[in-house]
Amino acid sequence: MTGGAVLGADGLKRCGWGDSADDYRVYHDTEWGRPVHGDDALFERVALEAFQSGLSWITILRRREGFRAAFSGFAIERVAEFGAEDVERLLQDTGIIRNRAKIEATIANARVARELDGGLDALIWRHAPEPGPAPHALSDVPAVTPASTALAKELKKQGFRFVGPTTAYALMQACGLVNDHLADCHAR
């Protein structure tokens, strides 16, 4: 079967994308697909997934520390207080993706997250689907699911921006709401 896990130089089988670069290998093995909880931690993931839209994930991954520095560690309370001067500062910051719409959306999303009844963690995790069968090939992994469509709809209803069903599914994968490690991947 093509598209299954690949054998890495270290002797471990992992999802093909997870062995394509050192940055991906570390992210795949230590973070992707593991449950993430906490409003600020999930806010970071929502923001990074939004910045990733239209770009390669490795582009975001390699700038992650720059994003954390620029956005006050993704502390919702702090980012929610950012104003026009912060937007201009961020547009000059070469450590992040300098896209005005995505920067403004991140600040607006922090303001929404700050006001959520029950918090961002509860909102996101109530959309976790029942575990399904392990995918055997990358072609078995969807880009959108009914659960990601429902999560995107709920986030948008609350006022979040840059959170379509595909972005929501990537968030669900990254934060462990679903486990899309391939069946023969060591991280599964």
Side-chain angles (χ1 to χ4, degrees):
M1 175 182 299
T2 60
V6 298
L7 186 63
D10 58 3
L12 296 175
K13 278 190 160 187
R14 56 181 56 88
C15 305
W17 67 267
D19 201 56
S20 62
D22 288 339
D23 294 330
Y24 274 156
R25 192 173 304 106
V26 170
Y27 178 68
H28 171 276
D29 289 359
T30 64
E31 187 174 348
W32 189 77
R34 295 179 190 224
V36 173
H37 285 283
D39 288 355
D40 290 344
L42 285 164
F43 173 66
E44 174 182 352
R45 298 338 188 271
V46 168
L48 294 178
E49 292 294 347
F51 272 100
Q52 186 273 329
S53 183
L55 302 170
S56 164
W57 178 245
I58 203 160
T59 300
I60 302 305
L61 197 55
R62 289 180 173 161
R63 288 180 169 83
R64 192 174 193 181
E65 292 309 316
F67 276 108
R68 285 175 172 163
F71 285 96
S72 299
F74 291 100
I76 292 169
E77 291 294 333
R78 294 188 65 194
V79 178
E81 296 300 320
F82 282 16
E85 289 178 8
D86 294 293
V87 172
E88 295 308 315
R89 171 184 58 82
L90 292 166
L91 286 168
Q92 303 306 312
D93 190 331
T94 59
I96 67 169
I97 304 302
R98 297 174 290 172
N99 177 300
R100 180 180 293 277
K102 292 176 182 181
I103 290 168
E104 290 176 347
T106 299
I107 296 166
N109 290 348
R111 292 175 182 151
V112 171
R114 178 177 61 183
E115 302 304 321
L116 281 177
D117 233 7
L120 185 58
D121 188 292
L123 185 154
I124 289 174
W125 276 93
R126 76 171 157 256
H127 289 86
E130 289 296 319
H136 290 278
L138 294 177
S139 60
D140 296 335
V141 178
V144 173
T145 65
S148 75
T149 300
L151 174 57
K153 185 177 178 180
E154 178 66 21
L155 288 167
K156 286 180 183 180
K157 178 181 167 190
Q158 296 296 328
F160 282 84
R161 298 192 242 168
F162 276 94
V163 289
T166 303
T167 299
Y169 194 67
L171 173 72
M172 293 171 86
Q173 291 173 303
C175 296
L177 280 76
V178 295
N179 182 354
D180 278 343
H181 284 287
L182 300 181
D184 52 350
C185 173
H186 82 92
R188 184 154 189 97

